[in-house]
Amino acid sequence: MQIRVAGHCRALLLYALCALAGTAAAAPLQAQWSFRLLPGDPQLQAHPGLDAWRPARVPGSVHDDLYAAGVIGDPYVGAAEAGLQWIGLAAWEYRARFDVDAATLSRRHAELRFDGLDTFAEVSLNGQPLLKADNAHRTWRARVDGRLRADGNELRVVFRSPIRTLLPQVQAMPHRIAGNYPSPYGDEPADAMVGNFVRKPAYHFGWDWGPRYVTAGVWRQVHLDGWDLQRITDLAVRIDALHAQRARLGVLLQVQRGETAGMAAVAVDVLDPEGRRVARLERDVHLQPGDNALQLPLEIAQPRRWWPVGHGAQDRYTVRARLDGGGDPVRETTLRTGLRTVELRREQDADGGQGFAFVINGVPVFAKGANVIPFESFPARVTRERLRRDLQAARDANMNMLRNWGGGYYESDDFFDIADELGLLVWQDFMFGGGMQPGYDPAFRASVVAEARDNIRRLRHHPSIVLWCGNNEEETAWKDWGHGRQLKDADPAFAARVWQGYVDLFGTDLRAVVAEEGLGVPYWSSSPSNDLDARANDSTRGDKHYWQVWGNPALPVTAYLDETPRFMSEYGLQAWPQLSTVDAFATRDEQRIDGPVIRAHQKFMAGNGNARLLHYIEREYGTPATFADFVYLSQVMQAEGIALAALHHRASRPYTMGSLYWQLNDVWPGASWSSLDYYGHWKALHYHARRFFADVAVAALRDDDGVTRFSLLNDGARPLTAQWRVRVMDVHGHEFARQQETITLAPMAATAVARLVDADLLKGHDPARSVAVFELLRAGQVVARRLVHFVPAREQALGAGQLHAELRAEGDGYRLRLHADGLVRAVWVDFGDTGARVEDNAFDLLPGETRELRVDANARLDALRAALRMRTLGDTLHPASAPPHDPASTPRTR
């Protein structure tokens, strides 16, 4: 096999695809990879024969390689997790065999680049040590000048167990710093967790939404970079000024020169989104041996700015740099970037509070979105198509911001390229998921700084990135959860050292790296925090994580209305994915709320999380009779609760300027707080999000005192003249109150309309048989609606069998006609495993209302009719009189 340095990306458009974060692209190492359990490892006693070489995939992980070899079963199916913990205790060896072509061998300089080694790795080439790695988030480089041969090169990488590597020194500590989630499997002592001491994705050690799989392997690409006199190692574009008439830019070029100084000709071209050249710069520069940092000024007339979705176009420019005319991939490079300014505006209030708003191109943007967790337990599995599926779903649900949570890994360039294209703003955490870390260790801090520099330089050309945040929940854990107090009680001197290390790392080091490398993107030390100012999780200053609903003390969802933050960066409710997703890992006989397989895929409270879920379901809807009812009601509860919170946040604008629920996606199939399940299916929450995050929406929010606050929301840039209407009717459609008025909604604002008490709305009618309908109309058409109910759903007079359906073929698709005889809540339409997609779902119908939905499917009409199943709250809460909609309705709850 040959190593090829990519020389085929000649066309300018191909450069945009081939370039990696502005550096010259090299082809991945073309090699035959294999792996084995390291000879002599103690795990061989229980797993004999695994020291024989087997085929491996790179990028990949040892779990996937063992699965492909038939050594283990699917880690996601059944309750496999407990039986696979030995993998994280073992040492593994990977081997690559490859040849090198004559052109590469003739280069003066050669370097192997490892984009991801997980984690404690010893690398050798042709029998000679090359490097030692200890950080999965870093890029590792090693010079291989004169060490390559034409045929039969052998690269070996030994991965040591992070648990076995670090456990002795953690156990030797007289007092421990707080970790995250202890292992329930005995592979690591609960009082000596190593995850906080290693620069490896924290979620690999287990989280409350995903399994514990302590992976190892070459998880990102390996490249061979070769060059002669000089090469471009980085390209970035700094925005010095951006106005409608002109953009002043600084082109930042890193050039590595060989042993002698000399002159070089630099040329920079800028192409607009259509590929037309709009700026050119040529300059002769003097280069010293080693690394050279060049700053070249450049201007663009009438620049087209990049905007978040809903505020403008996502225009991007292509910037190409060449040394001495190019002609060699290492002497020319390209990036694609957008022109935008970003500010984290923190204006002081008269009462001592302080705002928290993202301002893009001078425009304050209300952030609507969700938190993103890793897309897989084994990151190399994630494809560009998978990322596009979930990010497109975020945009389709009217989101404009995602927070990349700090317990995973820095996402691929594909993730950010798609976010750029879709106009999704990205809040990017550094990779610290919680607990506390040894910032008091200078070597640890130095490794983190190198990691930060690597990833900022790789990603900084993406206009979607609008914040770098130091960590997730470390400051609030220390200040509010007892972590700091417990350590202070045990060892005050060590506690002071730990806290000072925290301040040094997150208050100084990472802030400085972002200032040096981040091209003006703001830095925030922790989420939630006030950026190291007094309280860490304050509703009047900074960003807020709110878990008193769902977490402790498990307040009712109406408590969301009592919490008005400046920016809500985490809040959430759990739900199970649809039954077809559960079927992927559990047989129907295993689908019991307290069954072992279901418990294995419910990670909250170490498998006891369904008790918390039942608590919230029963509070509003009653006890589910079947497992299918449990799944359905969990989604209804999650969707309606998060809608209440998100609309409250939006109605509190401009005091509140962001609402990011926990969480968008799943790492595996199971119960979680996500709105998209592992296979990309939309839960009820995601359909609701498309409505409650719409630019124009109705916020009618009823609290436990029977008071409804009625506001209208307009995120558009222009005033909106419309009519609001309030109707109150019984469950059969008899209307006994109505009011309607014309109103002009201010742009990018929430407009308060009224504060209404139950007595004013009900006028003496039975609350269990009544519903209030709040609507916004334009040209007589309803553009937004929200229903208010006066009693819990379990007490409401919802009749069974009130929904009627007719499916017909129309054009190249199908139409589903739904008609409601009475009030119908939480309609769920399902076509089983036919692959059909329905236009909308998880909605209500008023008495007498008819709605038609587009259905896209490749199946025949008769097959779709046979597969069609519908659920409503009325059918679920009153099953005795309901038609047999669901074939999975046999009791499995207890």
Side-chain angles (χ1 to χ4, degrees):
M1 306 294 288
Q2 290 184 330
I3 300 174
R4 299 191 301 272
V5 177
H8 58 283
C9 301
R10 302 299 184 201
L12 184 59
L13 291 179
L14 285 179
Y15 263 103
L17 299 175
C18 293
L20 296 176
T23 61
L29 183 70
Q30 302 297 303
Q32 293 178 332
W33 285 92
S34 54
F35 83 109
R36 66 178 178 177
L37 188 60
L38 189 68
D41 190 276
Q43 293 298 324
L44 278 169
Q45 296 179 17
H47 305 278
L50 283 185
D51 54 350
W53 291 104
R54 288 171 167 80
R57 180 187 174 202
V58 169
S61 73
V62 67
H63 287 77
D64 276 338
D65 290 332
L66 289 168
Y67 179 42
V71 176
I72 65 172
D74 190 329
Y76 291 173
V77 173
E81 186 180 354
L84 299 180
Q85 296 308 306
W86 63 272
I87 300 171
L89 293 172
W92 301 92
E93 185 173 20
Y94 277 74
R95 179 180 68 187
R97 289 179 169 170
F98 58 94
D99 301 331
V100 182
D101 58 56
T104 302
L105 285 173
S106 68
R107 296 281 197 176
R108 296 186 197 176
H109 309 285
E111 178 183 82
L112 273 171
R113 187 179 87 238
F114 300 86
D115 292 339
L117 295 172
D118 182 15
T119 295
F120 288 105
E122 301 153 18
V123 184
S124 62
L125 176 65
N126 295 330
Q128 298 297 315
L130 196 60
L131 64 85
K132 286 187 176 182
D134 61 0
N135 188 327
H137 303 299
R138 286 183 62 178
T139 300
W140 295 92
R141 295 176 171 86
R143 293 289 291 268
V144 292
D145 307 9
R147 302 179 65 173
L148 296 169
R149 50 193 183 221
D151 303 312
N153 293 279
E154 185 174 83
L155 181 68
R156 291 202 180 198
V157 188
V158 173
F159 293 98
R160 305 290 178 180
S161 164
I163 300 171
R164 284 168 50 193
T165 298
L166 291 172
L167 189 57
Q169 54 189 281
V170 175
Q171 288 180 312
M173 297 173 65
H175 300 287
R176 317 274 165 71
I177 59 176
N180 293 307
Y181 292 94
S183 172
Y185 303 115
D187 57 314
E188 177 184 72
D191 64 345
M193 292 178 279
V194 306
N196 288 27
F197 295 85
V198 58
R199 296 309 297 145
K200 174 181 174 60
Y203 79 105
H204 285 168
F205 295 91
W207 221 265
D208 59 1
W209 35 253
R212 178 183 175 92
Y213 286 132
V214 183
T215 61
V218 184
W219 75 283
R220 278 182 167 155
Q221 291 285 7
V222 181
H223 304 267
L224 178 69
D225 298 333
W227 74 102
D228 290 314
L229 181 61
Q230 58 206 12
R231 63 171 176 168
I232 298 174
T233 57
D234 192 44
L235 170 64
V237 177
R238 186 187 63 231
I239 300 171
D240 295 326
L242 181 59
H243 307 288
Q245 293 76 30
R246 190 162 300 277
R248 287 195 297 107
L249 310 175
V251 178
L252 311 179
L253 202 61
Q254 294 282 333
V255 178
Q256 189 172 24
R257 176 84 177 187
E259 294 75 12
T260 60
M263 298 298 295
V266 176
V268 178
D269 290 317
V270 180
L271 283 73
D272 70 11
E274 286 72 44
R276 299 179 295 249
R277 190 169 72 188
V278 293
R280 181 176 178 82
L281 179 150
E282 294 179 307
R283 181 169 295 183
D284 292 331
V285 296
H286 187 267
L287 300 176
Q288 297 292 337
D291 294 325
N292 295 262
L294 308 178
Q295 296 191 36
L296 308 172
L298 189 144
E299 292 191 354
I300 299 175
Q302 284 79 50
R304 292 158 61 175
R305 287 176 284 188
W306 182 95
W307 291 92
V309 60
H311 290 266
Q314 288 74 56
D315 288 323
R316 286 182 287 171
Y317 287 82
T318 299
V319 181
R320 180 176 65 178
R322 294 191 302 257
L323 282 176
D324 292 336
D328 184 337
V330 299
R331 295 204 312 270
E332 49 189 52
T333 189
T334 295
L335 63 78
R336 198 175 183 197
T337 192
L339 305 181
R340 58 96 184 92
T341 61
V342 55
E343 172 194 355
L344 181 58
R345 184 170 294 172
R346 305 200 62 215
E347 294 177 334
Q348 196 77 24
D349 296 339
D351 59 1
Q354 193 170 24
F356 191 102
F358 289 93
V359 180
I360 310 300
N361 298 325
V363 177
V365 174
F366 189 99
K368 302 178 291 189
N371 289 259
V372 172
I373 65 169
F375 291 83
E376 280 279 359
S377 290
F378 314 110
R381 289 185 179 186
V382 181
T383 63
R384 185 179 177 92
E385 292 71 27
R386 170 80 173 277
L387 295 171
R388 176 169 290 283
R389 180 195 75 188
D390 288 0
L391 296 188
Q392 183 66 55
R395 173 166 167 156
D396 289 345
N398 292 307
M399 298 184 189
N400 61 20
M401 176 176 275
L402 299 173
R403 173 181 173 236
N404 267 340
W405 168 78
Y409 51 85
Y410 302 94
E411 274 293 347
S412 67
D413 295 85
D414 285 340
F415 177 97
F416 293 96
D417 185 58
I418 296 167
D420 292 346
E421 176 191 332
L422 297 178
L424 296 172
L425 303 173
V426 178
W427 166 318
Q428 179 62 54
D429 283 1
F430 288 103
M431 290 302 113
F432 293 90
M436 185 53 77
Q437 40 58 55
Y440 51 82
D441 179 359
F444 182 90
R445 283 173 53 198
S447 181
V448 172
V449 168
E451 161 196 321
R453 202 175 302 277
D454 281 350
N455 285 283
I456 295 173
R457 286 192 171 189
R458 177 172 67 90
L459 299 172
R460 61 185 174 178
H461 64 289
H462 291 287
S464 54
I465 298 178
V466 294
L467 186 72
W468 288 96
C469 179
N471 65 71
N472 172 76
E473 295 186 340
E474 288 201 5
E475 184 179 344
T476 191
W478 181 266
K479 292 180 176 179
D480 305 324
W481 301 357
H483 292 186
R485 183 183 65 254
Q486 292 164 12
L487 193 57
K488 289 174 187 176
D489 291 343
D491 188 337
F494 182 54
R497 186 174 170 226
V498 169
W499 178 246
Q500 187 58 51
Y502 177 94
V503 173
D504 290 342
L505 178 57
F506 297 109
T508 302
D509 294 350
L510 290 179
R511 192 184 308 276
V513 177
V514 173
E516 293 165 11
E517 308 284 3
L519 303 178
V521 171
Y523 174 77
W524 190 245
S525 62
S526 183
S527 180
S529 81
N530 294 309
D531 204 20
L532 283 168
D533 178 18
R535 294 174 59 189
N537 198 13
D538 188 351
S539 297
T540 66
R541 300 163 65 89
D543 69 311
K544 179 82 175 180
H545 292 194
Y546 183 71
W547 288 104
Q548 280 69 37
V549 175
W550 180 265
N552 291 321
L555 297 177
V557 295
T558 48
Y560 281 134
L561 302 179
D562 300 324
E563 183 61 45
T564 308
R566 308 313 299 251
F567 191 105
M568 187 70 91
S569 47
E570 276 193 28
Y571 63 102
L573 293 165
Q574 222 192 50
W576 276 85
Q578 64 187 47
L579 282 177
S580 67
T581 295
V582 180
D583 290 341
F585 63 82
T587 67
R588 286 297 171 99
D589 289 338
E590 293 171 328
Q591 292 176 23
R592 304 185 308 274
I593 290 178
D594 58 352
V597 173
I598 295 302
R599 285 177 60 87
H601 287 255
Q602 166 60 277
K603 308 308 293 184
F604 182 64
M605 294 170 58
N608 295 318
N610 283 341
R612 182 64 51 85
L613 197 45
L614 273 171
H615 169 74
Y616 277 91
I617 292 172
E618 290 173 339
R619 176 179 272 159
E620 177 68 21
Y621 308 98
T623 302
T626 71
F627 185 77
D629 290 348
F630 172 65
V631 168
Y632 165 75
L633 290 174
S634 75
Q635 291 204 19
V636 175
M637 179 278 298
Q638 179 194 40
E640 294 189 346
I642 298 302
L644 186 74
L647 288 170
H648 169 60
H649 302 152
R650 294 190 63 192
S652 303
R653 179 177 184 165
Y655 185 89
T656 302
M657 283 300 291
S659 182
L660 308 180
Y661 65 73
W662 186 270
Q663 64 206 61
L664 177 71
N665 59 310
D666 272 339
V667 73
W668 78 328
S672 83
W673 295 260
S674 71
S675 60
L676 300 173
D677 76 17
Y678 176 75
Y679 298 106
H681 302 131
W682 289 28
K683 293 182 183 177
L685 171 57
H686 211 77
Y687 289 100
H688 277 244
R690 185 164 62 186
R691 295 187 279 271
F692 64 64
F693 279 152
D695 279 354
V696 177
V698 172
L701 310 172
R702 181 182 180 274
D703 63 25
D704 286 338
D705 295 326
V707 176
T708 298
R709 290 184 293 111
F710 177 27
S711 301
L712 297 172
L713 314 174
N714 176 22
D715 281 352
R718 295 181 177 84
L720 177 67
T721 299
Q723 295 79 41
W724 62 259
R725 181 171 70 186
V726 179
R727 296 181 289 159
V728 190
M729 64 184 69
D730 67 20
V731 295
H732 301 296
H734 173 68
E735 190 176 298
F736 50 82
R738 172 192 287 250
Q739 186 176 356
Q740 182 170 333
E741 290 186 12
T742 298
I743 191 170
T744 297
L745 305 182
M748 295 187 290
T751 301
V753 178
R755 182 180 180 275
L756 304 166
V757 299
D758 285 356
D760 294 337
L761 291 167
L762 288 169
K763 301 186 184 303
H765 289 79
D766 183 357
R769 306 184 63 82
S770 303
V771 60
V773 184
F774 293 79
E775 296 167 311
L776 189 69
L777 300 90
R778 296 197 73 192
Q781 299 297 310
V782 176
V783 294
R785 171 194 286 173
R786 181 166 171 81
L787 306 187
V788 167
H789 308 284
F790 302 99
V791 297
R794 67 178 186 275
E795 300 175 10
Q796 199 169 16
L798 297 171
Q802 299 282 332
L803 182 64
H804 308 281
E806 176 191 352
L807 182 67
R808 68 181 187 275
E810 183 175 288
D812 58 355
Y814 301 94
R815 301 290 291 183
L816 177 64
R817 183 179 184 273
L818 300 175
H819 178 76
D821 287 343
L823 175 64
V824 174
R825 289 184 60 183
V827 175
W828 186 259
V829 178
D830 182 22
F831 286 94
D833 59 2
T834 63
R837 295 183 62 87
V838 65
E839 175 184 2
D840 197 8
N841 223 332
F843 53 83
D844 303 329
L845 289 174
L846 296 177
E849 187 174 11
T850 298
R851 185 170 180 193
E852 291 203 355
L853 302 174
R854 187 182 71 253
V855 178
D856 296 320
N858 294 323
R860 292 167 51 91
L861 179 60
D862 55 353
L864 290 175
R865 284 174 171 164
L868 174 61
R869 299 289 184 271
M870 295 183 299
R871 275 187 171 271
T872 72
L873 273 183
D875 297 342
T876 303
L877 303 183
H878 305 284
S881 59
H885 286 322
D886 195 330
S889 60
T890 54
R892 295 190 182 90
T893 306
R894 298 285 185 256

